[in-house]
Each structure stands twice: as C-alpha cells, then as structure tokens.
Amino acid sequence: MSVGKSLVALMAICYLAILIIGCTGDQGPVGPPGFPGTEGPPGQNQVVSPVADRTFGILIANSTASDFVGAAKVMLTSDISSVPGSDRVVARRLDKAPVIDGIDGGDAEWGGAAASTITLDSIAGKYNGITSARMRAAYDRQYVYMQIKWTEVAIESFAPTKDINKLMWSYDSASTPAWVRTGGEDMLCLGWQLTTITGWSADGIKSIFDGSVFRTPASGEIADLWVWQSTETYYSGFLGDKVVRYADAAGDASQFDAGTLPAFTLENPASSSNEPTYMRSGSPVDGTSYPLNSYEFTKFDALKKWKNHATIPGYISFIPSGSTADVRSTATYDNGTWTVELRRLRQTGNGDDTVL
Amino acid sequence: MRKWSFILFCLTALAGLIVLVGCEGDTGLTGGKGSKGRRGTAGYDPDRLPPADRVFAFAVTNATENAISGKRQLYLTFDSTAKATKDTVVAGRISVPPLIDGLEGEEDWGPQKSKMPLSFLNPDPDAVDCQLKNGIVRVAYDDDNIYFQFQWQEQAVEATIDGKKVEVASVGESRELSELTFKYRTGLDTTRVQRYSCKPDSADFVLDTSYTFVRVTYNSTCITPAEPCSCYDLRTRPDTSYLWVKRTGTGEDKVVVFFPDEGSTGWQDVAFKQFFGFSTGSSNIPSDLFVDVWAWGAGRTGPVSVADDWSISAAGAKADAGQAPYIDNWIASDSLPRYMNRRDPNVRTSESGKQTAAIYPLWYFDAVGYSRSGWAKGTNRTPITCSLPGIITMIPSGSRADVYTAARFDNGFWTVEMKRARRTHNGDDVQF
C-alpha cells in the first residue's frame, strides 16, 4: 500500500471518527428570566345591588276579613329616574336604616324616598271606602324597608277605629249568654310571585286571591304573602310571612312559612258553656286587655265573680319564629290613619321567600 | 499520486467543512419565569373600613338607680398608632373575636387598655357617691362586630345622713332588683291609712310605705281629684289585698354606655337626666339630639345576656323596637305584684331555712298570676316577711336585643363584656 493510500485511509477513518463523535458542541447557557407580568385588573368595588324590578299586590281591610280594597299589581323599582305613581313605588338606597317604629319620620328618616300614592279599588266584598295608600320603600345592602299608610273612612258599616281587640270576650250578667265576643281587625296583605304565576301579569294579586281565600291557579306555582293584622300579628313585632300554593279543592291554600306553631295566636274559643276557654292567670275580676301572652294564660275560672263589662282577649299571643318571623313590623294608629313599617332581609335564605 | 493527493485534499476539506458546520451544540435551557406582575388596586368596600372615631360616655352604679359614677366623655379612636390614656380608648383590630364571657381571659383584645378614675356624675344635691373606682375600658373590632370590655371596682361606703352613719354602698353583685316584701300585722292603727288613695295620678295620692300590711281597693273611674273618687280602707273586708312594698336598697349594679350621634355637643347632661331621671339640670332637649344607649343591669338584663338597647332623642328616652328583657312585677295603683313563682307562696320568707331561697331570676315561664292565698303570717309578736321578685325575666328580641353581653363579678371587680354588630340596620342605633 502506498503512502498516499495509507493517508487517504487514515483520513477516511478520521473523517468517520469526526462524523461519529466529534461534531456535538456544548449546550448553550440558560436564557435570561422573562419580563414581569402585566398588572392585574383593579378589584371590584363593593356596591349595593339595586332591588330588581318586581311587581306585587296590596290588599287592605277595615275590621273585616272579607271586604278588601287593593291594587292588584304595583311595580317596585329602584330606578330613581322613575316617577312614583299610583302603580309604581320607587325604592331608595339608604345609608342609614329607618327606625321601624310605625312613626313616620318623613324624608329625614327615609332618605328622600318619595312616597307613592297607590290608588285602591274594591277587590272583594263590600267597599270599605279606603281610596288610597301611601307607600315608601328603601333598601341597603341587606334589608328592604317599607312604610304603608292608609286612612280609614266612615262609610256604611265601616268606621275608622283602631281594631286591636279582635273577638274580645266581654261579660254582661244581664244577657244570655253572659259572655259574648265582639270586634274585628284591620288587615294589610302584600303578595309577591315566587314562581311565575298564571295570570299574574294581567291580574296581579287577584290571580291568587278569589275574594275570600288565597291559592295559586296551577300546580307548582307559589306566591309569597305578607299579612299584617291589627290584632293577631300586631302585638308580636312581626307580620305573618306566608306561602301560597296551589290547591285543587276550594279553600285557603296559604300557610305560615316554616316556624313554630301556633305562629302568632291561639284562639280562645267558646267552651261548651259559652264562656271563654282561657283567661290570664290571676286575672282580676274586671278582666284583662290585649295582649294575653302565651306564658300567662290558664284555664277559665267560671267560679270567679266577674264584674260586668269584664273583658278577656279572644286570642292568645305568641312570638313567631323561623321563616314565619322574617318580616319585622311595627304599626301605629293615629286619628284614623294606620302607619305600618316593616323590614325584611333582601335574601332570607328561605326558599319560601321572595328575593328582593 | 496526484489522484491520491486530490482525494486526500477532498477528504481533508470535507472533514474541515464538517468541523466548521456540523458541530453546533444544543440550544440552552429556557430562562426562568418572569416575576409576577403587580397586584391590581384593591376594590373598595365601605363596610370593611375601620369605623370612624367618635366619643362616648359610660356610667356605673352600685345597687342604686341613679347614683352614677363614670366618665362623661371618652374619645374612641380606631387609629392603632394612638396611645391609650384615661381619656382616649384605642380600639384594636383583631382577627379572632374575643370570648364574650365576662372573664379577663387570654383572648386578644388588642394591645391597649385605658385605665381611668371614675367621677361621680349625679348632680342632684341629695345623691350619695358610691365611690366606684378603677375603671378600665378596652375596645376591639373586626369586619362585622365591635367589642367592649368595662371593668370597675366596688367598695363599701358609709355616709352620715341625718346624724347617723349608714352604709350607702356595699360590695356585691346586686342581682336582686326591687325585691317585693310584705309582712302581716294585725291591729294596725286605722287612722294612719286614711290618705292612702286610689290612683297614682290623683292629687291626693300618697304612697305611704310606712305600713307593711294594708288593705286597699282601687276605683278605676277616679282620674282627677275633681271627679268622684272612692277610696276605701277595707281592712275589715276579707277579699281585699295585701300591700307589697319594695325593699329598700334592692337596686342593681349596672353599666350604661352612651354613644351620641356625630356632631352632638353638650349631650351628656341631657342624656343622663333623661335616662336616669335626675331632678336637676335643664329639661330642654336639643331637637337634633340622638344618643344610643346600652344599659346592662345585673338584675334586669344579666340573666338573658344582653344590654337593653335604648335611644335618647328630642322625644326623650325610648326603648328600641322589640321585646323587653324584663317586665316590672308591681302595680303602683294597688301595690300588688302581678306574678309570683309557680312554687309560691312562701318560696322565700324570713323563716329559718327560707331566707336565702333563690327567687331571682323569675322567668316568664315560671311565673303565674299572683294569688293572695297562703302567704305565711307568723304571729303578731314574730311576723314573717315574705318576698317576691320585683321583675319578671323575659326573652328580649328585635333591636332591643342588639347588644350581646356577659358579665362576671369577682373579688369586688365587675367585668362586663359587650358585642354588637357594627351595622345593625336599625335606625335607632349608631353604626360603627
């Protein structure tokens, strides 16, 4: 083999060796860190969400539970550009809650929430002459506040009276029976849709109230009903929070929300001898007035020497609890005018309440 | 030869070319992640801001209704850089709520406490100073609640009244408010009750409590002295009543805290007078006055762990809306209790073994209507004194029960701790 061939062979071997092992360089250096991320978006300011537009119905009775005036459908809105009207209540956001004491503190208390004068028409039974109700609404982050005022009028059998002694027992030794019950109570109802209710868009609360009882028109339809009564709920500091459901049979399908029973009152019915069943423990012989509290009633003492015109309440008052007691309420009566103020959580967490 | 040289040259060139272009190393590792961007600006929640600084006052009593000691004005600041003094209370922000149990425990109340002497605040000339002392106030808060702790020390005090030394204050819990007592006696001098009248609002009404047993009746039609008013001494009638009187010295220990609305000035005298019923001082109430009042009493509210929530405005002192934590068990018109314990009569009497029987608190569910029957009489020589609670304890509700409170009396010191929501959503409360 010549020298030239040997060199070529050597170069070929070197070439192959370079190809196999000699052509991979070192790994490059680690790159520099990336640039800082962009600034996060600003946090969301806590705002008080307005009350969503809702419609509700209102019913008012004077002394009876069968004669109602009312407004079938009233709009509740928090759009302050809206004008309060006969069918529209504009709720104002408040920084300071009003005092729920049944005393109208005016604009200073309600933050300029303009009162709406709601026109009332006869809804059921005889016309009791109450032509309008003034209503204010306000809200903050947690609560909705309302004030409803109306003036009773003397018309036919209706009279402006503070009916806080419903079915009061009174004693008259000259009459038979000696114990008789007299007196009605005033009433205010506010009804709200919980689910879509057939006919609500046209008839409002009349779609769940046929003039005597409450029930929704179709299965699965539910309404929220707030009932203030000048005797049965008046002494408790709450109004009755009820739910109205469908019933295929005639009869009232409203019942108190979940809570202890009796919710507000236990009737003091007539005994077999036409006397009250209960009285206040240790009652004097001239009787007692409302309220007869749940912790102080006892069996009626027929042997007591009752004085003429002695009185015993016709209902025993209880303090409600649970969802029945969601709506705090206080009312006053002055010169023929009721002022009912109420407060409720916007979201009670109870499925039987409307969310405001 | 030239052929091999050419081949050698080509191989060498090819090797050189491979060395030149074929040996690039791998790409380096990816650099580290860049640092996080800056946090966006925080959202704004007005309910989570520290409360605004304000002033307040507090008054404490020792078994009396209105012989009050305390501080006329304290400055409450939520600025943690401020220093607590006898006039300034620095509220600390806390992450774990303190246990409201009336005990000076290890819980976090913030780093500062204000110690202060207590002044006698009753302006009435005949008021006697109970000399309460060593006041301590601590305040803490979090997002939802504000917490107060009050401490003070009682001491026994004697005073000379009408030339006699009498004890005007003693050390004790004083939970038995307005204890009602009567003592049966026979042969009372009939002439000494002739002026006991029918109604407290009639001009000739004289509540003569020098008698421990009197029979009276009450004509509900008697409204004014001008109207016919029939008042009888009916001690010979069997169906008449015993007269119960409040035992003297059965007041309660209490602490009352006053929070004026912002901007009020000169409010203390009016607020104290309205709430405690002082006889001296101006009766003019500024039209814009508003003072929130939290009143804890060992007898009235202690059993139900609240402070009674009131407010004072141009209309006077008024309880917040809701059920009261107590009702009075006494009717001034006929000096009769309304209720007694279902275990009465004679749960507590002056008889041996019954003198210390527990009659407080009388819960509403243990109360029954008062009955005249069966009360112990003893003899004319050794009459028996019978007792009933002067108040019935109820479950408070509504805005009246906004202030949760717990208290403990230990070795002459009261520790009263309170907790209230910073925002109650009741218009009759100040908000923090």
Side-chain angles (χ1 to χ4, degrees), chain B residues 261-281:
Chain B
D261 213 355
E262 296 161 24
S264 299
T265 57
W267 54 273
Q268 290 96 336
D269 292 336
V270 177
F272 293 167
K273 180 180 170 68
Q274 288 294 318
F275 193 79
F276 293 109
F278 297 155
S279 57
T280 54

Side-chain angles (χ1 to χ4, degrees), chain B residues 93-111:
Chain B
R93 186 174 187 101
I94 53 175
S95 53
V96 178
L99 197 57
I100 302 299
D101 57 0
L103 284 174
E104 175 92 53
E106 295 178 355
E107 63 264 28
D108 182 16
W109 277 86

Side-chain angles (χ1 to χ4, degrees), chain B residues 321-334:
Chain B
Q323 169 72 51
Y326 64 93
I327 57 173
D328 288 326
N329 186 27
W330 191 64
I331 302 173
S333 57
D334 56 9

Side-chain angles (χ1 to χ4, degrees), chain A residues 21-50:
Chain A
I21 61 172
C23 60
T24 303
D26 293 337
Q27 188 177 36
V30 177
F35 293 109
T38 55
E39 183 176 323
Q44 191 171 5
N45 290 348
Q46 183 67 49
V47 293
V48 178
S49 58

Side-chain angles (χ1 to χ4, degrees), chain A residues 5 11 15 22-23 25-26 28 31 33-34 36-37 39-40 43 45-46 97-99 140-142 145 280-281 295-296 328 343, chain B residues 4 8 12 14 18 22-23 25-26 28-29 31-32 34-35 37-38 40-41 44-45 47 318 338-339 369 394 398 425-427:
Chain A
K5 284 183 179 176
M11 287 300 295
Y15 168 68
C23 60
D26 293 337
E39 183 176 323
N45 290 348
Q46 183 67 49
V99 184
D140 57 22
R141 186 183 293 189
Q142 287 188 293
Y145 311 88
R280 202 189 85 187
S281 171
Y295 51 85
E296 59 183 3
R328 187 170 293 282
R343 183 190 87 165
Chain B
W4 288 111
L8 182 62
T12 304
L14 185 60
I18 289 170
C23 296
D26 292 340
L29 297 172
S35 57
R38 282 184 296 126
T41 52
Y44 174 78
D45 182 354
D47 284 356
K318 180 184 168 193
R338 291 183 68 185
Y339 303 101
M394 313 286 289
H425 301 274
N426 292 317

Side-chain angles (χ1 to χ4, degrees), chain A residues 119-194:
Chain A
T119 304
L120 305 178
D121 301 312
S122 183
I123 296 277
K126 291 183 288 185
Y127 180 56
N128 63 25
I130 302 171
T131 55
S132 64
R134 287 179 64 77
M135 184 167 178
R136 293 180 197 255
Y139 65 97
D140 57 22
R141 186 183 293 189
Q142 287 188 293
Y143 288 93
V144 161
Y145 311 88
M146 291 182 183
Q147 180 196 70
I148 304 106
K149 297 176 72 170
W150 70 95
T151 301
E152 296 179 340
V153 294
I155 178 173
E156 297 183 355
S157 60
F158 299 99
T161 51
K162 186 181 183 183
D163 295 311
I164 58 172
N165 299 307
K166 181 182 179 183
L167 293 180
M168 177 75 101
W169 286 101
S170 63
Y171 180 72
D172 183 354
S173 60
S175 67
T176 304
W179 286 95
V180 294
R181 304 177 79 181
T182 55
E185 69 175 345
D186 306 325
M187 191 183 293
L188 165 72
C189 302
L190 298 176
W192 310 80
Q193 285 189 106
L194 261 181

